[in-house]
Amino acid sequence: TQLLEQSPQFLSIQEGENLTVYCNSSSVFSSLQWYRQEPGEGPVLLVTVVTGGEVKKLKRLTFQFGDARKDSSLHITAAQPGDTGLYLCAGDGAQKLVFGQGTRLTINP
Amino acid sequence: GAVVSQHPSWVICKSGTSVKIECRSLDFQATTMFWYRQFPKQSLMLMATSNEGSKATYEQGVEKDKFLINHASLTLSTLTVTSAHPEDSSFYICSASGGGIGMGYTFGSGTRLTVV
């Protein structure tokens, strides 16, 4: 069974601070995806990383895929209250997605 | 972009009744659809994978006789919660894949089921 350990599960910081969310596994994934989910809605894809060592940027969000394709990180610079939400990493393995536990992020004004 | 429509967005039913949730891919053919369950403040747990025209593959611990999945066409999959009980109350989300690793997954907006 492929498992993804996501940390931290809860994070509350002040506006303007930086943060990093980690997603780790002992399994290799063909790709890894990051989603953001609002209450009462389905997850919305932020990014897909495919190549080991890959780095992708989406405005203030930076995503990295580990060289061995077993781990990933999401770094947010100068967090804003609008970044508040549930962030989920998901690994694409055996033609299905395996989700991490999620990180509930709160940015306080 | 790819759109997946899930209906209804919320439903309240009496204990012992059955509820059907629909998941449609609107602008692409979904060879594979996935059904997830999400409890409050938790992540998504995969319940089953359905491929068009074949039986669904259920994850360990998911009762296939309770959660009936039908994927009769390339654009529609349904999840029926049979003889629902209050403990079945949850947020159910479907996603669809166009086929193959790396083709991407598109999620529906979810269905909030409350069994009273």
Side-chain angles (χ1 to χ4, degrees), chain A residues 50-78:
Chain A
V50 179
T51 305
E54 184 176 5
V55 177
K56 282 191 174 179
K57 290 191 174 184
L58 185 64
K59 296 184 180 179
R60 292 177 293 102
L61 279 61
T62 301
F63 304 86
Q64 280 191 300
F65 200 15
D67 291 341
R69 290 187 291 140
K70 293 181 179 180
D71 55 86
S72 181
S73 65
L74 158 61
H75 182 80
I76 301 179
T77 304

mmCIF file of all heavy atoms in Angstrom, chain A residues 50-78:
data_model
loop_
_atom_site.group_PDB
_atom_site.id
_atom_site.type_symbol
_atom_site.label_atom_id
_atom_site.label_comp_id
_atom_site.label_asym_id
_atom_site.label_seq_id
_atom_site.Cartn_x
_atom_site.Cartn_y
_atom_site.Cartn_z
ATOM 1 N N VAL A 50 6.366 15.996 -12.288
ATOM 2 C CA VAL A 50 6.571 14.702 -12.923
ATOM 3 C C VAL A 50 8.033 14.241 -12.865
ATOM 4 O O VAL A 50 8.320 13.078 -12.618
ATOM 5 C CB VAL A 50 6.102 14.747 -14.389
ATOM 6 C CG1 VAL A 50 6.329 13.411 -15.070
ATOM 7 C CG2 VAL A 50 4.652 15.154 -14.484
ATOM 8 N N THR A 51 8.936 15.172 -13.060
ATOM 9 C CA THR A 51 10.354 14.820 -13.168
ATOM 10 C C THR A 51 11.057 14.974 -11.821
ATOM 11 O O THR A 51 10.871 15.986 -11.138
ATOM 12 C CB THR A 51 11.042 15.729 -14.192
ATOM 13 O OG1 THR A 51 10.332 15.651 -15.430
ATOM 14 C CG2 THR A 51 12.476 15.299 -14.415
ATOM 15 N N GLY A 52 11.870 13.999 -11.448
ATOM 16 C CA GLY A 52 12.631 14.086 -10.215
ATOM 17 C C GLY A 52 13.473 15.350 -10.197
ATOM 18 O O GLY A 52 14.147 15.657 -11.175
ATOM 19 N N GLY A 53 13.411 16.098 -9.081
ATOM 20 C CA GLY A 53 14.160 17.338 -8.971
ATOM 21 C C GLY A 53 13.459 18.552 -9.557
ATOM 22 O O GLY A 53 13.965 19.675 -9.467
ATOM 23 N N GLU A 54 12.302 18.330 -10.097
ATOM 24 C CA GLU A 54 11.558 19.416 -10.753
ATOM 25 C C GLU A 54 11.115 20.477 -9.754
ATOM 26 O O GLU A 54 10.721 20.166 -8.628
ATOM 27 C CB GLU A 54 10.346 18.830 -11.471
ATOM 28 C CG GLU A 54 9.538 19.834 -12.273
ATOM 29 C CD GLU A 54 8.403 19.165 -13.041
ATOM 30 O OE1 GLU A 54 8.194 17.945 -12.872
ATOM 31 O OE2 GLU A 54 7.730 19.859 -13.813
ATOM 32 N N VAL A 55 11.175 21.728 -10.184
ATOM 33 C CA VAL A 55 10.688 22.854 -9.392
ATOM 34 C C VAL A 55 9.709 23.642 -10.257
ATOM 35 O O VAL A 55 10.012 23.974 -11.403
ATOM 36 C CB VAL A 55 11.827 23.780 -8.933
ATOM 37 C CG1 VAL A 55 11.262 24.985 -8.176
ATOM 38 C CG2 VAL A 55 12.822 23.021 -8.060
ATOM 39 N N LYS A 56 8.533 23.900 -9.696
ATOM 40 C CA LYS A 56 7.538 24.703 -10.412
ATOM 41 C C LYS A 56 7.103 25.847 -9.529
ATOM 42 O O LYS A 56 6.951 25.675 -8.315
ATOM 43 C CB LYS A 56 6.333 23.851 -10.813
ATOM 44 C CG LYS A 56 6.575 22.979 -12.035
ATOM 45 C CD LYS A 56 5.280 22.369 -12.533
ATOM 46 C CE LYS A 56 5.487 21.621 -13.834
ATOM 47 N NZ LYS A 56 4.234 21.005 -14.326
ATOM 48 N N LYS A 57 6.881 26.998 -10.148
ATOM 49 C CA LYS A 57 6.428 28.167 -9.394
ATOM 50 C C LYS A 57 5.077 28.623 -9.911
ATOM 51 O O LYS A 57 4.819 28.662 -11.111
ATOM 52 C CB LYS A 57 7.457 29.290 -9.497
ATOM 53 C CG LYS A 57 8.752 29.017 -8.751
ATOM 54 C CD LYS A 57 9.621 30.261 -8.649
ATOM 55 C CE LYS A 57 10.834 29.974 -7.775
ATOM 56 N NZ LYS A 57 11.673 31.177 -7.559
ATOM 57 N N LEU A 58 4.233 28.983 -8.956
ATOM 58 C CA LEU A 58 2.911 29.502 -9.265
ATOM 59 C C LEU A 58 2.728 30.730 -8.383
ATOM 60 O O LEU A 58 2.298 30.644 -7.238
ATOM 61 C CB LEU A 58 1.845 28.452 -8.960
ATOM 62 C CG LEU A 58 0.403 28.761 -9.337
ATOM 63 C CD1 LEU A 58 0.266 28.898 -10.835
ATOM 64 C CD2 LEU A 58 -0.510 27.654 -8.816
ATOM 65 N N LYS A 59 3.120 31.889 -8.922
ATOM 66 C CA LYS A 59 3.102 33.148 -8.174
ATOM 67 C C LYS A 59 3.936 32.995 -6.904
ATOM 68 O O LYS A 59 5.132 32.787 -6.966
ATOM 69 C CB LYS A 59 1.669 33.570 -7.882
ATOM 70 C CG LYS A 59 0.865 33.888 -9.151
ATOM 71 C CD LYS A 59 -0.514 34.396 -8.826
ATOM 72 C CE LYS A 59 -1.263 34.703 -10.118
ATOM 73 N NZ LYS A 59 -2.653 35.184 -9.859
ATOM 74 N N ARG A 60 3.327 33.049 -5.734
ATOM 75 C CA ARG A 60 4.090 32.961 -4.480
ATOM 76 C C ARG A 60 4.263 31.506 -4.004
ATOM 77 O O ARG A 60 4.829 31.277 -2.929
ATOM 78 C CB ARG A 60 3.372 33.767 -3.402
ATOM 79 C CG ARG A 60 3.387 35.286 -3.660
ATOM 80 C CD ARG A 60 2.589 36.040 -2.586
ATOM 81 N NE ARG A 60 1.155 35.720 -2.691
ATOM 82 C CZ ARG A 60 0.533 34.877 -1.898
ATOM 83 N NH1 ARG A 60 1.190 34.253 -0.923
ATOM 84 N NH2 ARG A 60 -0.762 34.657 -2.052
ATOM 85 N N LEU A 61 3.800 30.561 -4.780
ATOM 86 C CA LEU A 61 3.893 29.152 -4.398
ATOM 87 C C LEU A 61 5.009 28.484 -5.208
ATOM 88 O O LEU A 61 5.078 28.642 -6.423
ATOM 89 C CB LEU A 61 2.571 28.431 -4.673
ATOM 90 C CG LEU A 61 1.448 28.562 -3.649
ATOM 91 C CD1 LEU A 61 1.007 30.005 -3.461
ATOM 92 C CD2 LEU A 61 0.268 27.702 -4.042
ATOM 93 N N THR A 62 5.870 27.751 -4.506
ATOM 94 C CA THR A 62 6.943 27.009 -5.155
ATOM 95 C C THR A 62 6.805 25.537 -4.789
ATOM 96 O O THR A 62 6.726 25.190 -3.611
ATOM 97 C CB THR A 62 8.328 27.519 -4.709
ATOM 98 O OG1 THR A 62 8.448 28.903 -5.026
ATOM 99 C CG2 THR A 62 9.439 26.741 -5.415
ATOM 100 N N PHE A 63 6.787 24.708 -5.785
ATOM 101 C CA PHE A 63 6.611 23.271 -5.600
ATOM 102 C C PHE A 63 7.884 22.558 -6.036
ATOM 103 O O PHE A 63 8.463 22.874 -7.073
ATOM 104 C CB PHE A 63 5.444 22.750 -6.452
ATOM 105 C CG PHE A 63 4.146 23.454 -6.191
ATOM 106 C CD1 PHE A 63 3.835 24.630 -6.858
ATOM 107 C CD2 PHE A 63 3.229 22.938 -5.293
ATOM 108 C CE1 PHE A 63 2.636 25.283 -6.629
ATOM 109 C CE2 PHE A 63 2.019 23.571 -5.061
ATOM 110 C CZ PHE A 63 1.726 24.754 -5.733
ATOM 111 N N GLN A 64 8.303 21.579 -5.235
ATOM 112 C CA GLN A 64 9.475 20.780 -5.584
ATOM 113 C C GLN A 64 9.133 19.303 -5.545
ATOM 114 O O GLN A 64 8.353 18.851 -4.694
ATOM 115 C CB GLN A 64 10.609 21.051 -4.580
ATOM 116 C CG GLN A 64 11.392 22.325 -4.838
ATOM 117 C CD GLN A 64 12.657 22.399 -3.986
ATOM 118 O OE1 GLN A 64 12.572 22.389 -2.771
ATOM 119 N NE2 GLN A 64 13.799 22.467 -4.630
ATOM 120 N N PHE A 65 9.726 18.554 -6.447
ATOM 121 C CA PHE A 65 9.590 17.098 -6.472
ATOM 122 C C PHE A 65 10.970 16.529 -6.179
ATOM 123 O O PHE A 65 11.953 16.929 -6.812
ATOM 124 C CB PHE A 65 9.105 16.642 -7.845
ATOM 125 C CG PHE A 65 8.487 15.279 -7.880
ATOM 126 C CD1 PHE A 65 8.085 14.611 -6.728
ATOM 127 C CD2 PHE A 65 8.261 14.649 -9.102
ATOM 128 C CE1 PHE A 65 7.496 13.370 -6.778
ATOM 129 C CE2 PHE A 65 7.661 13.411 -9.166
ATOM 130 C CZ PHE A 65 7.275 12.759 -8.014
ATOM 131 N N GLY A 66 11.045 15.625 -5.218
ATOM 132 C CA GLY A 66 12.328 15.078 -4.840
ATOM 133 C C GLY A 66 13.003 14.327 -5.985
ATOM 134 O O GLY A 66 12.329 13.831 -6.890
ATOM 135 N N ASP A 67 14.317 14.256 -5.917
ATOM 136 C CA ASP A 67 15.084 13.588 -6.971
ATOM 137 C C ASP A 67 14.629 12.150 -7.186
ATOM 138 O O ASP A 67 14.595 11.648 -8.314
ATOM 139 C CB ASP A 67 16.575 13.596 -6.629
ATOM 140 C CG ASP A 67 17.182 14.992 -6.693
ATOM 141 O OD1 ASP A 67 16.564 15.866 -7.340
ATOM 142 O OD2 ASP A 67 18.251 15.220 -6.090
ATOM 143 N N ALA A 68 14.276 11.480 -6.089
ATOM 144 C CA ALA A 68 13.855 10.076 -6.171
ATOM 145 C C ALA A 68 12.365 9.924 -6.420
ATOM 146 O O ALA A 68 11.854 8.794 -6.474
ATOM 147 C CB ALA A 68 14.247 9.346 -4.885
ATOM 148 N N ARG A 69 11.680 11.033 -6.584
ATOM 149 C CA ARG A 69 10.215 11.040 -6.829
ATOM 150 C C ARG A 69 9.439 10.351 -5.707
ATOM 151 O O ARG A 69 8.434 9.669 -5.955
ATOM 152 C CB ARG A 69 9.894 10.413 -8.188
ATOM 153 C CG ARG A 69 10.347 11.279 -9.356
ATOM 154 C CD ARG A 69 9.860 10.727 -10.678
ATOM 155 N NE ARG A 69 10.528 9.487 -11.017
ATOM 156 C CZ ARG A 69 9.933 8.442 -11.565
ATOM 157 N NH1 ARG A 69 8.661 8.448 -11.815
ATOM 158 N NH2 ARG A 69 10.619 7.358 -11.859
ATOM 159 N N LYS A 70 9.933 10.537 -4.474
ATOM 160 C CA LYS A 70 9.220 9.980 -3.325
ATOM 161 C C LYS A 70 8.666 11.080 -2.416
ATOM 162 O O LYS A 70 7.890 10.790 -1.511
ATOM 163 C CB LYS A 70 10.160 9.108 -2.490
ATOM 164 C CG LYS A 70 10.632 7.845 -3.177
ATOM 165 C CD LYS A 70 11.522 7.058 -2.239
ATOM 166 C CE LYS A 70 11.999 5.768 -2.878
ATOM 167 N NZ LYS A 70 12.866 4.997 -1.948
ATOM 168 N N ASP A 71 9.102 12.308 -2.627
ATOM 169 C CA ASP A 71 8.682 13.368 -1.726
ATOM 170 C C ASP A 71 8.535 14.670 -2.480
ATOM 171 O O ASP A 71 9.055 14.849 -3.584
ATOM 172 C CB ASP A 71 9.694 13.524 -0.587
ATOM 173 C CG ASP A 71 11.098 13.751 -1.106
ATOM 174 O OD1 ASP A 71 11.453 14.905 -1.375
ATOM 175 O OD2 ASP A 71 11.835 12.758 -1.244
ATOM 176 N N SER A 72 7.812 15.581 -1.855
ATOM 177 C CA SER A 72 7.562 16.874 -2.481
ATOM 178 C C SER A 72 7.354 17.918 -1.393
ATOM 179 O O SER A 72 7.072 17.585 -0.235
ATOM 180 C CB SER A 72 6.338 16.800 -3.388
ATOM 181 O OG SER A 72 6.091 18.033 -4.021
ATOM 182 N N SER A 73 7.511 19.162 -1.769
ATOM 183 C CA SER A 73 7.254 20.245 -0.823
ATOM 184 C C SER A 73 6.545 21.384 -1.532
ATOM 185 O O SER A 73 6.659 21.568 -2.742
ATOM 186 C CB SER A 73 8.559 20.742 -0.198
ATOM 187 O OG SER A 73 9.393 21.326 -1.180
ATOM 188 N N LEU A 74 5.784 22.113 -0.724
ATOM 189 C CA LEU A 74 5.093 23.313 -1.174
ATOM 190 C C LEU A 74 5.553 24.452 -0.278
ATOM 191 O O LEU A 74 5.393 24.379 0.941
ATOM 192 C CB LEU A 74 3.575 23.121 -1.060
ATOM 193 C CG LEU A 74 2.706 24.385 -0.974
ATOM 194 C CD1 LEU A 74 2.873 25.247 -2.208
ATOM 195 C CD2 LEU A 74 1.250 24.016 -0.753
ATOM 196 N N HIS A 75 6.122 25.477 -0.875
ATOM 197 C CA HIS A 75 6.593 26.630 -0.116
ATOM 198 C C HIS A 75 5.776 27.846 -0.536
ATOM 199 O O HIS A 75 5.631 28.105 -1.730
ATOM 200 C CB HIS A 75 8.083 26.879 -0.384
ATOM 201 C CG HIS A 75 8.647 28.014 0.399
ATOM 202 N ND1 HIS A 75 9.021 27.892 1.729
ATOM 203 C CD2 HIS A 75 8.900 29.303 0.056
ATOM 204 C CE1 HIS A 75 9.480 29.047 2.159
ATOM 205 N NE2 HIS A 75 9.428 29.915 1.168
ATOM 206 N N ILE A 76 5.238 28.543 0.452
ATOM 207 C CA ILE A 76 4.492 29.772 0.191
ATOM 208 C C ILE A 76 5.261 30.944 0.767
ATOM 209 O O ILE A 76 5.615 30.945 1.951
ATOM 210 C CB ILE A 76 3.071 29.721 0.781
ATOM 211 C CG1 ILE A 76 2.297 28.538 0.183
ATOM 212 C CG2 ILE A 76 2.336 31.035 0.503
ATOM 213 C CD1 ILE A 76 0.877 28.399 0.728
ATOM 214 N N THR A 77 5.486 31.917 -0.067
ATOM 215 C CA THR A 77 6.203 33.130 0.352
ATOM 216 C C THR A 77 5.208 34.241 0.650
ATOM 217 O O THR A 77 4.245 34.424 -0.089
ATOM 218 C CB THR A 77 7.165 33.577 -0.771
ATOM 219 O OG1 THR A 77 8.051 32.501 -1.087
ATOM 220 C CG2 THR A 77 7.976 34.778 -0.346
ATOM 221 N N ALA A 78 5.489 34.964 1.731
ATOM 222 C CA ALA A 78 4.638 36.110 2.097
ATOM 223 C C ALA A 78 3.160 35.725 2.073
ATOM 224 O O ALA A 78 2.366 36.285 1.303
ATOM 225 C CB ALA A 78 4.921 37.276 1.159
#
